[in-house]
Amino acid sequence: MSEGQIRQSLSGFYDVFSDGELYRTRARGNFRKRRITPLVGDRVQFESSSPKEGYILEILPRDNALTRPPVANIDQGVVVTAVASPEFSTNLLDRQLIALEISNITPVIYFTKTDLIPDERYQAFETLAAGYRQIGYDVCLTREPFAESGLDELRRLLADKVTVIMGQTGAGKSTLLNHISPDLTLATGEISTALNRGKHTTRKVSLMPVAGGLVADTPGFSSYDTLTIGYRELGQYFPEFALASRECRFRGCVHLNEPGCAVKDGIATGQFMQSRYDTYLQLLTLLKNQKPVYNKKK
């Protein structure tokens, strides 16, 4: 029995990397009975009689996992965010950041398609980027979407990390990876103007060696599963609100109607981004009205 890491998942087969070699494997039947699905990034125990035939026997404990994209044991997530085509949404960006925060994955923001907007609109994004940097997020924003300065910064962040490249369909994930590592030559697609929605160009989930690290290039998506956290937990996944909440008058403040709320004070004084608080309020309402989900498949 050997140990390795799942590097690719395709049509029920799992390519496991171990001791410098890839082994094509399948999952044992009892995984299905136990409602366990192996994910790219999983550390596994497996047996193999040849590089083309083997079986995964056990999945070792995960540090974290995402549903979309379906990957595990991720150090950081690069949220590729188009400033236009598809239309930019602070709400969607914040939901992506929250999904990473909940999974204890470090977020990085990379803005694309900056060449499609006029200078005054770009200046607004510079202000927005400054706001996210103040929170503590790494943000890559350049006037040309794939300028070497931005790419070099991203390469530095990718080194020695397992990274997921994620974002709305059509945001330019594959194009970004092709600029970072041209030998990948990943398939790219054009935006459907009729639906304002990208065509799916990625057919498999895999971890690829890029810039001294491993990167997951995954199918595009434009929405997320319903959050399964309690509404009182939401604030801790907004780092700036979590820090400020220590100064709230009431313990357990949800930053809604309570007096002496440091978060609301920060919004009023411009310390925090209004768009972030708007997203918070929307999600808070959704979570308060959300019905419990029983027997949810893990």
Side-chain angles (χ1 to χ4, degrees):
M1 187 165 56
S2 303
E3 288 191 10
Q5 178 192 50
I6 298 178
R7 291 284 180 90
Q8 179 171 287
S9 170
L10 180 64
S11 302
F13 290 95
Y14 303 94
D15 290 345
V16 178
F17 184 81
S18 178
D19 294 328
E21 191 166 2
L22 278 176
Y23 296 85
R24 171 126 322 171
T25 68
R26 300 188 76 110
R28 285 290 194 192
N30 64 355
F31 281 91
R32 181 176 298 177
K33 295 179 182 178
R34 293 157 60 191
R35 292 187 173 184
I36 297 174
T37 301
L39 298 178
V40 168
D42 272 333
R43 297 179 289 267
V44 299
Q45 294 179 335
F46 71 103
E47 62 180 8
S48 179
S49 57
S50 72
K52 295 184 178 180
E53 186 174 352
Y55 289 94
I56 294 174
L57 305 178
E58 192 66 43
I59 298 174
L60 301 179
R62 292 168 177 162
D63 296 330
N64 51 49
L66 291 175
T67 302
R68 284 185 289 175
V71 289
N73 301 315
I74 299 298
D75 297 313
Q76 63 186 358
V78 177
V79 182
V80 181
T81 304
V83 300
S85 187
E87 184 178 354
F88 173 75
S89 165
T90 54
N91 182 275
L92 177 59
L93 174 57
D94 286 333
R95 288 176 70 99
Q96 293 167 330
L97 297 175
I98 292 165
L100 293 171
E101 294 282 1
I102 290 174
S103 297
N104 196 30
I105 297 172
T106 301
V108 176
I109 303 169
Y110 195 104
F111 287 105
T112 61
K113 302 191 179 181
T114 48
D115 56 333
L116 300 182
I117 57 176
D119 288 342
E120 59 270 20
R121 179 68 171 149
Y122 178 76
Q123 291 172 3
F125 275 99
E126 285 187 316
T127 301
L128 189 73
Y132 282 108
R133 290 190 184 104
Q134 185 176 351
I135 295 170
Y137 293 127
D138 286 303
V139 181
C140 298
L141 172 69
T142 56
R143 192 64 182 95
E144 294 299 322
F146 302 112
E148 279 304 313
S149 58
L151 295 175
D152 286 344
E153 174 65 9
L154 188 55
R155 291 185 185 105
R156 182 187 66 80
L157 294 170
L158 294 178
D160 301 318
K161 299 284 182 64
V162 177
T163 303
V164 60
I165 305 292
M166 56 191 292
Q168 189 177 15
T169 302
K173 299 183 295 296
S174 295
T175 302
L176 174 59
L177 281 173
N178 283 334
H179 277 84
I180 295 174
S181 186
D183 57 315
L184 291 175
T185 60
L186 299 172
T188 58
E190 296 180 353
I191 295 295
S192 169
T193 54
L195 297 177
N196 193 31
R197 188 176 300 170
K199 300 176 182 178
H200 292 286
T201 57
T202 312
R203 304 302 181 188
K204 62 187 177 183
V205 181
S206 60
L207 285 178
M208 303 169 293
V210 176
L214 292 172
V215 169
D217 181 48
T218 57
F221 58 94
S222 56
S223 62
Y224 288 85
D225 290 333
T226 303
L227 296 177
T228 56
I229 60 174
Y231 76 91
R232 291 189 177 275
E233 301 174 57
L234 179 62
Q236 65 184 278
Y237 300 113
F238 288 74
E240 71 276 37
F241 298 166
L243 183 62
S245 66
R246 300 175 187 175
E247 306 300 324
C248 289
R249 182 184 303 176
F250 298 106
R251 187 177 180 180
C253 179
V254 295
H255 323 307
L256 187 59
N257 297 315
E258 304 92 334
C261 173
V263 171
K264 289 194 298 180
D265 289 346
I267 294 295
T269 61
Q271 179 184 356
F272 303 134
M273 300 163 65
Q274 182 66 49
S275 61
R276 294 272 290 172
Y277 187 63
D278 291 343
T279 298
Y280 173 81
L281 292 180
Q282 182 196 60
L283 293 178
L284 187 72
T285 300
L286 289 174
L287 290 173
K288 289 180 73 172
N289 296 329
Q290 185 171 284
K291 296 180 180 179
V293 179
Y294 300 104
N295 299 322
K296 184 177 176 64
K297 184 179 178 180
K298 294 183 179 179

